[in-house]
Amino acid sequence: MPAPRAPPDTTSFPAGESLENQATFLVRYAILAPSSHNSQPWAFAVTEDSVLVYADESRRLDVADPDGRELLLSVGCALENLVVAARRFGLEPTVEYGASEESPPSGGDHLRHVATVRLDSAGLTDEGAVQTELFDAIGNRRTNHRPFEDRPVAESVLARFEEYAATDGLGLELVTDPTQRREIATLQTRADEHQFDDPAYRRELGHWIGTGALGASWLTARIGQLAVSHLDIGEREGRKNSKLVTSAPVVAVLTTESEDVPTLLRVGQVFERVALAATSEGLAVHPMSQILEVDEFRTELTALLGLEDQTPVHLFRIGYAEPGSTRTPRRPLEDVLR
Ligand SMILES: Cc1cc2nc3c(=O)[nH]c(=O)nc-3n(C[C@H](O)[C@H](O)[C@H](O)COP(=O)(O)O)c2cc1C
């Protein structure tokens, strides 16, 4: 049963208690992260000084995301929330990517250990590491499916996003040119038509809607129309999404040289950091994955962006918009703690 999402009250941080109790408290911020179809494909085990982070393979979108790329991006988003929250409460986090020798938790064959966050209670050594505005955005961030306003995003804000992505092997393309955005919109239309034409894709989406994961959202209402004719839906989705792309002053694309587990987790972290910073700036963010889910369109996007050594792995639009009304639910904490 999904639980309503709400960030914990900061005053209930168990300051005088064990590091283990404090780490458990931080996980409540991790689970507010975005995830593909709100699948929340993560689990956490808390030890006396660390949080072990798991990817839950049983929650992978087998049709939309057979390679588990979106799954790892989603886990990366949760990882970033954990890091930001740890700093807020004065704990120095160190992320180690990769599996430990430890066996999966009991009943957890579908859980893959992908990272460990070590927490140092001696306090932060990194000057200025507490970025309160990022932390405060964790509870306010939402995916916004509305059309965006015709209003540019300040260069200084975009420069900050670029700074977040300026890390080994990662890239961030910020597309503002109207012609290029129109070309991406055309690709979006074709990708939507392709995906919605696939009964397995629609069944999978229908499954996640059925769990209540996407809330009473615009998507729920529109998918109801599938009963009429799936081809019509594909065209309509394509047209609407294409307009959403062209309405956005910025189409952002995160790119990588490789797609190993640590790299994809880091991309998820960068995306979430951008999404939190955007939220604190009053900007809306909306990931749109269909182009990247189909090899043919992903290759076309790579060419359109003129990428040579990098491949696009995550696409989202950024801009100003009325706040979205959807509040997506979250799995209860006890479901994700091992
Ligand atoms: C890797 C990834 C891919 C996503 N792809 C899409 C997408 O294609 N279309 C969309 O509307 N939302 C997409 N989302 C947003 C999720 O649907 C959203 O995060 C989830 O429903 C939870 O809602 P919230 O972000 O408002 O908390 C994606 C999110 C992530 C992390």
Side-chain angles (χ1 to χ4, degrees):
M1 193 57 159
R5 58 186 273 168
D9 184 345
T10 51
T11 57
S12 40
F13 179 69
E17 297 183 23
S18 67
L19 192 52
E20 196 168 339
N21 285 356
Q22 295 181 358
T24 304
F25 183 83
L26 299 181
V27 174
R28 296 170 65 184
Y29 292 97
I31 63 175
L32 297 178
S35 61
S36 184
H37 285 11
N38 202 18
S39 53
Q40 305 167 59
W42 44 62
F44 307 87
V46 176
T47 70
E48 58 186 16
D49 65 352
S50 308
V51 180
L52 308 183
V53 180
Y54 298 90
D56 185 341
E57 302 280 357
S58 70
R59 293 180 162 262
R60 190 181 56 217
L61 311 177
D62 286 333
V63 182
D65 183 35
D67 301 331
R69 186 176 67 240
E70 292 176 29
L71 181 144
L72 287 168
L73 295 179
S74 303
V75 177
C77 293
L79 183 57
E80 186 62 15
N81 277 9
L82 196 58
V83 164
V84 169
R87 293 206 170 112
R88 161 64 179 77
F89 293 104
L91 301 169
E92 176 86 55
T94 308
V95 180
E96 292 165 10
Y97 299 94
S100 65
E101 299 301 308
E102 291 169 52
S103 47
S106 61
D109 290 346
H110 53 287
L111 298 181
R112 180 173 170 200
H113 180 210
V114 290
T116 303
V117 182
R118 300 216 179 276
L119 297 167
D120 186 350
S121 60
L124 294 171
T125 52
D126 186 2
E127 281 283 315
V130 182
Q131 290 170 306
T132 316
E133 85 277 12
L134 292 186
F135 173 80
D136 290 343
I138 291 178
N140 297 330
R141 184 212 54 78
R142 313 227 188 307
T143 299
N144 192 315
H145 301 101
R146 294 179 191 265
F148 290 178
E149 292 165 17
D150 183 15
R151 179 173 153 201
V153 180
E155 285 295 331
S156 56
V157 174
L158 296 182
R160 183 170 168 203
F161 298 162
E162 275 166 340
E163 235 171 70
Y164 291 156
T167 146
D168 279 357
L170 262 57
L172 176 63
E173 300 290 322
L174 294 171
V175 182
T176 52
D177 174 62
T179 309
Q180 245 189 341
R181 282 189 284 130
R182 266 196 304 277
E183 285 169 349
I184 295 175
T186 305
L187 269 185
Q188 176 72 39
T189 308
R190 290 166 58 208
D192 273 323
E193 283 176 10
H194 181 281
Q195 291 294 60
F196 279 89
D197 201 23
D198 178 357
Y201 178 85
R202 285 180 283 116
R203 258 199 310 277
E204 182 173 80
L205 184 54
H207 163 77
W208 287 101
I209 288 168
T211 64
L214 291 158
S217 72
W218 59 277
L219 197 53
T220 315
R222 281 155 79 179
I223 294 301
Q225 298 165 339
L226 277 172
V228 184
S229 152
H230 69 263
L231 275 180
D232 281 350
I233 290 298
E235 281 172 21
R236 203 171 313 148
E237 279 293 312
R239 274 199 306 277
K240 281 190 180 154
N241 281 341
S242 162
K243 282 192 191 138
L244 291 183
V245 173
T246 43
S247 80
V250 183
V251 176
V253 185
L254 279 160
T255 66
T256 57
E257 281 168 14
S258 68
E259 290 186 41
D260 50 58
V261 174
T263 301
L264 290 175
L265 289 174
R266 287 196 300 122
V267 174
Q269 287 188 262
V270 170
F271 166 64
E272 178 63 350
R273 186 158 272 255
V274 169
L276 294 177
T279 303
S280 76
E281 294 284 347
L283 283 161
V285 171
H286 179 198
M288 302 182 86
S289 305
Q290 292 77 14
I291 293 175
L292 302 175
E293 288 169 354
V294 184
D295 285 347
E296 177 192 342
F297 303 126
R298 195 178 179 203
T299 306
E300 285 192 42
L301 180 67
T302 307
L304 197 154
L305 296 173
L307 300 173
E308 286 177 1
D309 305 324
Q310 300 257 331
T311 313
V313 286
H314 191 50
L315 185 151
F316 50 104
R317 54 190 192 104
I318 305 175
Y320 294 93
E322 288 288 305
S325 53
T326 309
R327 283 172 69 84
T328 51
R330 289 299 182 270
R331 299 164 68 198
L333 190 63
E334 50 279 18
D335 269 22
V336 301
L337 277 179
R338 301 297 154 146

